[in-house]
Every structure is written in structure tokens, then in C-alpha cells.
Amino acid sequence: MTEQEAKKKLESLREVLAQYNYEYHVLDKPSVPDAEYDQKMQELKQIEEQYPHLITPPDSPSQRVGGEPLEGFQKVTHRVPMLSLGNAFNEEDLKDFDRRVREGLDVNKVTYVCELKIDGLAISLRYENGFFVQGATRGDGTTGEDITNNLKTIRSIPLKIKDDNPIEVRRGEAYMPQKSFLALNEAREQMEEEPFANPRNAAAGSLRQLDPKIAAKRNLDIFLYAVGEWESGELSTHSERLTYLQQLGFKTNPEWRKCEGIEEVLEYVENWVEKRAELSYDIDGIVIKVDNLEAQEQLGFTAKSPRWAIAYKFPAEEAVTELTDIELSVGRTGVITPTAILEPVKVAGTTVQRASLHNEDLIKEKDIRIGGDTVVIKKAGDIIPEVVRVVMDKRIEEGKPFAMPTECPSCGNELVRLEEEVALRCINPNCPAQLKEGLIHFVSRLAMNIDGLGEKVVEQLFREKLIHTIADLYRLEKEELLQLERMGEKSVSNLLQAIEQSKENSLERLLFGLGIRYVGSKAAKTLAAHFETMENLQQASFEELTAVDEIGDKMADSIVRYFEDDKVQYLLTELKDLGLNLTYKGPKATDVGEDAVFAGKTIVLTGKLSIYTRQEVKQQIESLGGNVTGSVSKKTDIVIAGEDAGSKLDKANKLGIQVWDEEKLQTVLEGGEA
């Protein structure tokens, strides 16, 4: 076979194998026996071995088996944030959601799309020039991890699609079918390995394997159901997008349904509460979305979730088991939390051995005793299990009432109950348990996000007395880390590199990591953007803090008290001397003046752009004070129209809105007159 013949044959084989793969893994309607697929795959591999320079990694079916193991996962910043959804737990919650939507749109009835909420791992896929180029986990919604090679092993993910425009399919849910889960656990038990608790954990664990060959053996699957960045088409509804995703070759869940009004939504939900056990995969609820995309745009978002969608969580499952003990833990703020230790029991798809008891008052109210009480526990989705009640008929008389200690179980300091608080608290700032929990929080994903410093590693470093404060993390030496158990040359080097890289984080991550009481990740970003430097924030008065949007009296008082502490001031000096960044690196309100070209203007992009990508245009417009939205209305100031602009351009002309072509946009962005 000549090289030209080989090239032509490879193109033919790739096309037919892609079609067979789509029929089998997406449509679930194979058109040929497995033996014929295997024969053509073997033929493809033989030709690729003979002519390795003809292998096209982006779309060759031979590349699905997994490449070489990775040293670690790279961070990926999502071009469009992957926000979480608000939750509904009953019919009243869903009706309240519908009322808010109707009031927000000023209509009497809304068309929704209902979809099964797959219990798996949220991911996004990115395609460029029709090829699958990157897949990532959701992570914190803004930053995830690049797991492209592992996702390529999922055969229902197309390596090539018939759309050359950049497209980010967001979100998808990678999951493990129940059949694959049972087979995997059976194999693990035969190898005397601990079985996975549920299919979701198994799927997540599989996709976070550094060796893609392991993921390839796990038989994962995926459903896609949303779009992030997309420069293709003038589709006006979410249901049209779902249909188009399927036409492109993506696997969408076939059970989605368009519902006219909330009553049809309630019927759909009730149907799947009863039927979910019939599925071959796990679901933990229903997602309800407003179908019309312009209506979605109009409703907008809260800080954490879209106002046009909600997740209905299935009713919690309960189980009965024996409570054997109550264990106390000390949190990073000193709160003493009791936890029930249980005889293992399966509930809501997971094996539960611990359940929350919240505080001493709850234990007394429910008369929970140690040493033989039988209790009912409840778990809903990912919510931490809790003890609902004691089964009094099964109570053993010898069970003794539980009493909270008067001293901290970690440091022995006297516990106190602050005014208007139910919880007991250790107020010793040098309590080892609080210091350790504070360090775990500091390195966590939403804070400094230091790879390789998980909870177990922090505990090990703390136990070996290598770290005591946050500053100690930045003084760790390679030689002392190499002495630790399970710390090899490569893992130590990677850890030290991750710690060094964290010094460059923007101020808001450090602020959240410090664990200032009442200051969450969102408030930390608000404070960092407003005050811009740690020094400015340290010097801010109570009045200056409460003048900032979303900063209330309680938070402001906590911040002032925190920075007045001598130990805090010393720590911040240490961190500065160690090279940590203490300034905000994000966009600032002061960056855009009132005379900026797009200041206060609402811009809509439509059609295909050839000079810039949509994301580039969006970023530049926003940097010049503009707001880019997805729908044309009377409030729109400018419509920027590329090739094949459709209904949005028509609407702009009808409303008399100013329309620019891409050449005019380029002139303005390069400093010309508007």
C-alpha cells in the first residue's frame, strides 16, 4: 500500500468507525456486530503503525485508549463560569420559583424544559475547528482541571463534530452506568481493594486518574445538556440547542421534556420520583430551566446561580442503624461539633458511618444516648447525613445520656458559649485543632488552591511539627519533606512549586484563606476589588467597610477586630516578607472612566466574527466600560453584526438601534472614533 493509498484508507476507516461509534454509544442502535467494528479498528491501527506520521490525534479512534500517565492536572479557567443551581425540595419551592420567573418576565405562563439531574461529575468540553481540544472538570465554577485525555476514553464524546465554530459544551455530566459500577466493585473486591461507595464517586475517581488507561477501563458515559461559549447559529430556545447538540453528534439525555407551565413541570417531577429506579444510571433530581434564551438573559443571575433555572432534589432517603458513640471535633473557628458514629448502613446510594448532630441542644432535645440507641438517619443527595430521631421501642436501658465536655478535647482550654450562640467554642488562638483546620482551609480550592496539599498532607505536616502557622507553609524545605512517608522526589518538587505559585494569587484568595469570621469567598472578592491592597483594608474603619455594598455591620466589626490583633499584624508582615502578593489583580471599577468609549452602554454581538473571537470582543468591550448581553431590546445601545447575522440584526433595525460591522469595531478598539 502506497502512502497516498494509506492516507485515503485511513480517512475512510476513521469516518466509518466514528459512525459506528455514534450509533452504538450515542443512539444505542448498533448497525454492525462488534466483530466488524473490532476488525476495522485493527485495520486502522495496523496502517497507523506502518505510517505513524499519518496519525491525527484529535480525531483518530485509536487515540481513545489513553496516552501516557500525566504528572498532574493543569488548571483550566472556564471562559463562561459554570455556576451552581438553586435547590427546590418540594412542590411549594417549585411554585415559588415559577412565581419569581413569571414576575421577572411579567407574563402569566412560562415554557420550561425539564431534564433528569444525572448524579455524576460536571464537566465542560471545548471544540475548535470541529475537533475536541479540551475537557475540564467544573472545579469551583471558575477554575477546573484539564482532564482531556481521560475524557477522550469516553466513547460517547465525539472527537470531531460538523461545526467549525469554537464551541464550549457546558455542562455535561460524566457518569458510571450501574452495570459498570457493579463490575468495577466486583473486580476491586477480588483484588482485595476497597470498593467505591457509589457510582458518582467511582466516576469522579476514574476521571481524576493520572493514567488515562485506567479511565479507559472504567466504561464511563456522558450526557451533555448546556452550552457556554458558542458562535454558531441564531437558536432562540434551550430546547433547540439540545436538538442541535444531538445533531452535531453529542449524547443528550432522551428523557428531557418541554413543559407548558408549572403544572406540567410538577407532573414530570412526580413521574420520575416513581420511575427513577428503572433507569440504568443514577439521578438525584430534576433540573428545570426557562426555555426561551432571551427570557433567560432578562432574568439574569444572582451571585451564585441563574434565576432562570432550579434543581429539584428528590425526597431524602432514610435508614435505621445503631449509634455506637459520639465523637467531638474542633473546627477552625473553635466551634465544638458532635458527630454520631454509626454501624455502617446504606442510604441514598452511599454507605454511611457518621452523621451530624449539630450541637448539644439538639442531642438533648432528641434524647440521644450512647451505647445502643437505634436511630433513624436521613440523607438527601450530597447533603451530610443527619440523625432524625431515636427509635424508642428499641432503646437499651443501659444507654447513658450524653454530656458535652467543659474543656476543649484538643487543647484542654475551658469552653465558652458566646452570647446568642448555641454552640460551645474554644477561644484559645493556639489550639492545635483550630490551627490545623485553619491550615486546611487556607490551602483549599476556593482559598489559595495549592495542589498536593490535601487534608491528609496538611495533617501529616502538622503532626510532624513542620508547620504550625500559615507562614510555615512558605518555609518548607525539600530535604525535610523527603523524610516524610509517601513523599518522593517528584511529589515534593511538585508540592513546593505549587506553594511557590500560590504566592502570585490575587488578594481575594488570601483574604478568604485567612479565615476571617463571616468573610466568605464572595465577600473577600468584593473587599479586594474595593480596597485593592491588604494595607488599605487593614486601615479601613468600620464606617468605610459598611459603605461597601454587601458588607454589613457584623462582618465589618469582625474585620476591624481581626486586623487589630497583634498576631494577625505579625502574620501579614511575615507573608509579605515571604513574597506573597497582597494586591488585587482582577478588574477594578477605577480602571474604566466615564469617558470610556463603551461606558454604560449595552452591546449585543450577532453573526460570525472573522477578526476577533466573541470572547476577545466581550473582554475588550467590558474593559472599556460596556456590558455585553445576548438579546436585543429597547435598552440595547449597539449591535455588532458579523456575517450571516439573523433575527437579532433584524430586531435592531426595527428598533432603530445603532449597528456596527466588525471593521468599525476594530477601528474603535484600536483607538479610532466611534
Side-chain angles (χ1 to χ4, degrees):
M1 183 183 297
T2 66
E3 182 173 325
Q4 190 61 34
E5 290 171 335
K7 186 176 181 180
K8 189 173 181 180
K9 184 64 175 177
L10 282 175
E11 289 174 356
S12 173
L13 285 169
R14 285 169 190 152
E15 186 175 337
V16 73
L17 283 169
Q19 180 62 28
Y20 290 167
N21 190 73
Y22 174 73
E23 292 168 348
Y24 187 95
H25 293 283
V26 178
L27 300 181
D28 199 23
K29 295 179 179 178
S31 61
V32 296
D34 289 351
E36 184 171 340
Y37 179 92
D38 294 340
Q39 181 268 323
K40 291 191 181 300
M41 176 65 82
Q42 190 60 32
E43 187 178 355
L44 174 93
K45 289 179 179 179
Q46 287 173 352
I47 298 173
E48 288 184 339
E49 285 176 9
Q50 187 176 355
Y51 297 97
H53 59 285
L54 295 181
I55 298 175
T56 55
D59 69 328
S60 177
S62 65
Q63 303 304 301
R64 288 191 183 273
V65 295
E68 293 302 311
L70 304 172
E71 291 186 7
F73 293 112
Q74 299 295 314
K75 292 288 186 292
V76 174
T77 300
H78 298 299
R79 303 193 183 197
V80 179
M82 295 175 68
L83 299 178
S84 56
L85 295 178
N87 291 327
F89 297 96
N90 50 48
E91 181 177 321
E92 184 180 346
D93 290 344
L94 289 175
K95 286 184 174 179
D96 281 344
F97 165 71
D98 175 60
R99 175 185 52 77
R100 293 193 300 271
V101 169
R102 287 186 288 104
E103 288 176 355
L105 298 175
D106 194 22
V107 296
N108 294 323
K109 197 173 188 179
V110 177
T111 300
Y112 296 103
V113 170
C114 292
E115 301 169 84
L116 303 185
K117 187 174 181 295
I118 313 301
D119 195 11
L121 180 71
I123 57 93
S124 69
L125 308 176
R126 183 157 185 80
Y127 289 77
E128 292 180 359
N129 298 317
F131 292 103
F132 175 41
V133 295
Q134 188 178 75
T137 61
R138 176 182 180 273
D140 62 5
T142 301
T143 305
E145 292 180 318
D146 189 330
I147 56 169
T148 307
N149 288 342
N150 285 343
L151 288 172
K152 281 183 177 180
T153 68
I154 300 179
R155 296 182 180 274
S156 48
I157 294 178
L159 299 178
K160 186 178 182 182
I161 60 173
K162 296 176 181 178
D163 190 330
D164 290 339
N165 292 290
I167 175 173
E168 183 187 40
V169 184
R170 173 198 61 92
R171 301 174 3 177
E173 202 79 15
Y175 67 93
M176 181 172 285
Q178 291 165 358
K179 184 178 179 181
S180 301
F181 174 68
L182 294 173
L184 173 61
N185 268 355
E186 185 178 336
R188 290 179 70 85
E189 287 170 357
Q190 289 174 357
M191 298 291 291
E192 297 185 355
E193 295 177 349
E194 185 177 351
F196 284 106
N198 53 57
R200 184 187 185 280
N201 288 358
S206 301
L207 288 174
R208 296 203 76 259
Q209 292 286 336
L210 293 176
D211 186 352
K213 291 185 175 66
I214 296 176
K217 295 176 182 177
R218 298 283 175 87
N219 297 314
L220 301 177
D221 210 334
I222 195 168
F223 287 121
L224 286 309
Y225 49 84
V227 174
E229 185 184 27
W230 196 0
E231 298 181 7
S232 179
E234 292 287 339
L235 304 180
S236 62
T237 64
H238 176 63
S239 52
E240 288 175 351
R241 282 186 168 182
L242 285 174
T243 301
Y244 187 58
L245 283 174
Q246 188 174 15
Q247 290 170 355
L248 288 178
F250 294 107
K251 185 173 183 178
T252 59
N253 191 286
E255 306 298 345
W256 69 269
R257 175 181 159 191
K258 191 188 293 188
C259 296
E260 300 297 335
I262 194 64
E263 293 303 324
E264 288 191 15
V265 170
L266 295 174
E267 289 176 13
Y268 181 92
V269 168
E270 184 179 357
N271 177 58
W272 282 106
V273 167
E274 300 297 326
K275 287 178 57 180
R276 60 175 163 150
E278 300 173 13
L279 295 167
S280 61
Y281 46 86
D282 286 357
I283 62 173
D284 58 1
I286 305 294
V287 175
I288 299 100
K289 302 173 185 173
V290 172
D291 190 31
N292 185 277
L293 299 180
E294 285 195 12
Q296 290 184 8
E297 188 81 32
Q298 184 177 337
L299 290 165
F301 301 81
T302 67
K304 295 182 178 180
S305 58
R307 292 190 177 94
W308 43 265
I310 198 165
Y312 172 81
K313 295 293 191 77
F314 287 137
E317 293 188 25
E318 295 184 342
V320 177
T321 188
E322 186 178 330
L323 185 149
T324 59
D325 200 358
I326 293 177
E327 186 179 277
L328 298 172
S329 60
V330 185
R332 65 183 175 87
T333 61
V335 171
I336 310 300
T337 304
T339 299
I341 308 303
L342 310 165
E343 282 295 321
V345 62
K346 192 150 189 174
V347 56
T350 61
T351 300
V352 173
Q353 293 179 270
R354 303 165 67 86
S356 174
L357 292 171
H358 300 292
N359 53 59
E360 182 182 20
D361 287 0
L362 182 142
I363 295 172
K364 288 180 178 178
E365 179 188 325
K366 296 184 177 179
D367 190 20
I368 296 171
R369 302 185 183 184
I370 300 174
D373 257 0
T374 298
V375 295
V376 175
I377 61 168
K378 177 176 74 175
K379 185 175 186 294
D382 291 331
I383 297 173
I384 298 169
E386 63 175 316
V387 175
V388 179
R389 63 184 181 277
V390 175
V391 182
M392 292 299 179
D393 293 346
K394 296 186 178 182
R395 164 160 282 173
I396 298 174
E397 290 298 326
E398 298 82 52
K400 58 180 181 179
F402 175 76
M404 289 287 279
T406 57
E407 297 179 346
C408 173
S410 175
C411 68
N413 200 64
E414 184 179 357
L415 299 176
V416 300
R417 180 173 290 186
L418 301 180
E419 188 178 350
E420 298 182 358
E421 281 196 359
V422 174
L424 281 171
R425 193 182 291 271
C426 172
I427 57 173
N428 174 17
N430 294 314
C431 172
Q434 290 182 63
L435 292 171
K436 184 185 70 177
E437 291 298 323
L439 286 162
I440 291 170
H441 170 75
F442 182 81
V443 304
S444 65
R445 187 181 65 192
L446 292 178
M448 295 300 277
N449 196 22
I450 302 178
D451 270 349
L453 264 184
E455 186 173 335
K456 290 183 179 178
V457 176
V458 171
E459 288 177 346
Q460 183 183 21
L461 294 173
F462 196 84
R463 188 172 59 248
E464 297 296 330
K465 299 182 179 179
L466 294 180
I467 57 173
H468 187 68
T469 70
I470 288 167
D472 292 336
L473 288 169
Y474 295 93
R475 298 191 184 99
L476 289 170
E477 298 287 344
K478 185 174 184 179
E479 291 70 23
E480 58 189 6
L481 291 174
L482 286 171
Q483 304 303 314
L484 299 177
E485 188 179 351
R486 297 180 182 174
M487 283 287 193
E489 183 85 26
K490 184 179 289 186
S491 59
V492 167
S493 295
N494 289 342
L495 175 57
L496 290 174
Q497 184 180 359
I499 292 172
E500 188 66 24
Q501 287 174 346
S502 74
K503 292 180 180 181
E504 302 302 317
N505 283 341
S506 185
L507 174 61
E508 67 272 17
R509 284 190 173 273
L510 176 59
L511 271 181
F512 179 57
L514 289 172
I516 305 170
R517 198 169 180 203
Y518 305 125
V519 178
S521 59
K522 183 174 181 290
K525 189 164 187 177
T526 299
L527 290 164
H530 183 85
F531 291 99
E532 299 185 5
T533 70
M534 183 69 82
E535 184 178 2
N536 290 343
L537 182 58
Q538 283 179 267
Q539 295 171 357
S541 65
F542 177 86
E543 291 74 22
E544 288 172 324
L545 287 164
T546 53
V548 179
D549 285 345
E550 302 180 29
I551 307 300
D553 292 357
K554 189 183 287 188
M555 189 188 299
D557 183 61
S558 174
I559 294 167
V560 170
R561 288 174 181 271
Y562 180 82
F563 286 118
E564 285 176 345
D565 191 308
D566 291 341
K567 294 188 182 68
V568 170
Q569 293 174 21
Y570 180 73
L571 171 63
L572 294 176
T573 300
E574 281 188 293
L575 296 179
K576 182 179 180 181
D577 292 342
L578 287 163
L580 271 75
N581 170 64
L582 302 181
T583 61
Y584 177 61
K585 293 184 174 183
K588 305 169 189 174
T590 54
D591 289 343
V592 181
E594 292 181 2
D595 58 347
V597 63
F598 293 117
K601 295 186 184 298
T602 298
I603 318 295
V604 172
L605 308 176
T606 185
K608 296 179 181 179
L609 303 179
S610 56
I611 302 172
Y612 307 98
T613 67
R614 286 201 174 201
Q615 192 64 21
E616 287 170 343
V617 173
K618 186 173 185 288
Q619 288 173 350
Q620 292 203 54
I621 288 174
E622 289 176 347
S623 72
L624 294 170
N627 177 37
V628 178
T629 66
S631 58
V632 176
S633 70
K634 292 179 181 178
K635 295 180 180 180
T636 304
D637 295 293
I638 302 169
V639 169
I640 296 168
E643 295 179 17
D644 301 326
S647 59
K648 292 179 185 178
L649 177 58
D650 295 338
K651 189 171 182 180
N653 290 328
K654 186 176 179 181
L655 293 173
I657 293 168
Q658 189 177 171
V659 176
W660 292 7
D661 59 20
E662 198 174 1
E663 286 71 24
K664 181 168 183 177
L665 172 66
Q666 184 182 25
T667 300
V668 172
L669 293 179
E670 291 178 355
E673 292 294 325

